[in-house]
Amino acid sequence: MKKTIFALLLFYCMSMTLPTTTFAQTLSVQEQTVNKPKNVVAKKIILSQKEAESIDTIQIDWKKGQTTVSKSPDEKIYILEKAYVMPKDTQKVGISIKNNTLFITDYTIMPYFPQREDLSAEQYQKIQQEYENTTYDLEVLLPQKQYEEFYFNTTNAGCILDNHSFKNITTESIYGDFSFYNIKADTISAKTVKGTITLAQNTSAEQYHLYNVSGKIDAQFSLLPTQLHAKSENGTIIITLPENEGFFLSKKNINNYHLQSSFSLINKNDKKIYKNGTVALDILCRNGTVILKKLEKEISSL
């Protein structure tokens, strides 16, 4: 079901392109909004300790803006939506709880970008401003415990996960960025088409499934991952590893001209091997760049 949703999102977004007008004036709108704080509290929801204790799965469907999931100051769950301007009641965040799952939904009606070249700069600025005004941020504060699953689905939103533990994490996006800080999980699965996937050094999982088309994957590991699957079609994959006993890559999965490595790799049969080459790193990059880096504390000279 989740794969189907992601495929539909991909089809939807690839079929709708933003206008290619060259109005220099639109930069002023973007400059005005990029650093503008969202200081309007559109909605605030607090779930009691009893309600929070019954929840072991989090599912968020968000359209655009920044979503942050971090630690609650107590045993309650806090859900906060912020905006540039107050949205209509019908477009505010909604929640429901069913079968121990907390559903958080963005009911924003996305403004339409007309694909026309006859718009004046003033008209285009007005449309752009309307689009920016429907960018809502979401903050979710969860009590710390072992959750079963976290699922985040979006088109343009970004998501930051910080200081939590989940058995399974799944994030799916078209243009959004995903960042994981101090996260512990059995499986982390992150998919984005043009966004960036960032894994901080203090995040650990038994399995990693990282995928993008033309964005970037930037993953730092304090321990050599035993099940890493990182794939990109045209983007960049940066993998930072500690000094270790050895790993190998499949040569056929990486364009040799676009491989940079701080580790001394040798070619053997169809593999690129470091030291004893015991751990397989499943890295596939068709046309993009793969960069293997050592942790800074391990680097003496490069």
Side-chain angles (χ1 to χ4, degrees), residues 60-71:
I60 301 175
D61 290 282
W62 207 252
K63 292 187 174 68
K64 62 190 182 81
Q66 182 63 59
T67 294
T68 304
V69 180
S70 56
K71 181 183 176 182

Side-chain angles (χ1 to χ4, degrees), residues 135 197 201 205 214:
T135 299
I197 300 169
Q201 184 181 338
S214 58

Side-chain angles (χ1 to χ4, degrees), residues 206-220:
E206 294 180 11
Q207 296 185 47
Y208 302 87
H209 300 271
L210 314 176
Y211 172 78
N212 73 33
V213 176
S214 58
K216 182 170 77 171
I217 296 171
D218 189 352
Q220 298 185 28

Side-chain angles (χ1 to χ4, degrees), residues 86-105:
M86 182 63 72
K88 298 177 182 178
D89 288 340
T90 55
Q91 297 191 41
K92 295 180 182 179
V93 60
I95 71 161
S96 61
I97 301 173
K98 184 178 181 181
N99 298 328
N100 300 328
T101 299
L102 170 62
F103 297 91
I104 302 175
T105 305

Side-chain angles (χ1 to χ4, degrees), residues 164-223:
H164 275 295
S165 177
F166 301 91
K167 285 189 177 180
N168 298 301
I169 297 173
T170 302
T171 58
E172 300 179 342
S173 170
I174 303 299
Y175 300 105
D177 299 332
F178 299 131
S179 299
F180 302 88
Y181 301 100
N182 195 27
I183 295 298
K184 291 180 172 53
D186 290 350
T187 302
I188 295 177
S189 177
K191 300 177 182 178
T192 182
V193 176
K194 293 187 176 181
T196 296
I197 300 169
T198 303
L199 266 69
Q201 184 181 338
N202 54 8
T203 290
S204 62
E206 294 180 11
Q207 296 185 47
Y208 302 87
H209 300 271
L210 314 176
Y211 172 78
N212 73 33
V213 176
S214 58
K216 182 170 77 171
I217 296 171
D218 189 352
Q220 298 185 28
F221 299 97
S222 56
L223 297 173

Side-chain angles (χ1 to χ4, degrees), residues 250-263:
S250 172
K251 288 198 298 185
K252 66 180 181 180
N253 289 343
I254 300 173
N255 187 328
N256 190 56
Y257 295 103
H258 296 157
L259 173 63
Q260 304 172 30
S261 177
S262 299
F263 298 90

Side-chain angles (χ1 to χ4, degrees), residues 241-253:
L241 302 168
E243 183 54 71
N244 58 83
E245 293 302 315
F247 59 84
F248 72 88
L249 314 170
S250 172
K251 288 198 298 185
K252 66 180 181 180
N253 289 343

Side-chain angles (χ1 to χ4, degrees), residues 1 53 64 74 96 111 118 182 187 200-201 267 293-294:
M1 178 63 182
E53 289 174 348
K64 62 190 182 81
D74 50 40
S96 61
D118 60 338
N182 195 27
T187 302
Q201 184 181 338
N267 294 313
K293 299 169 61 176
K294 288 186 180 181

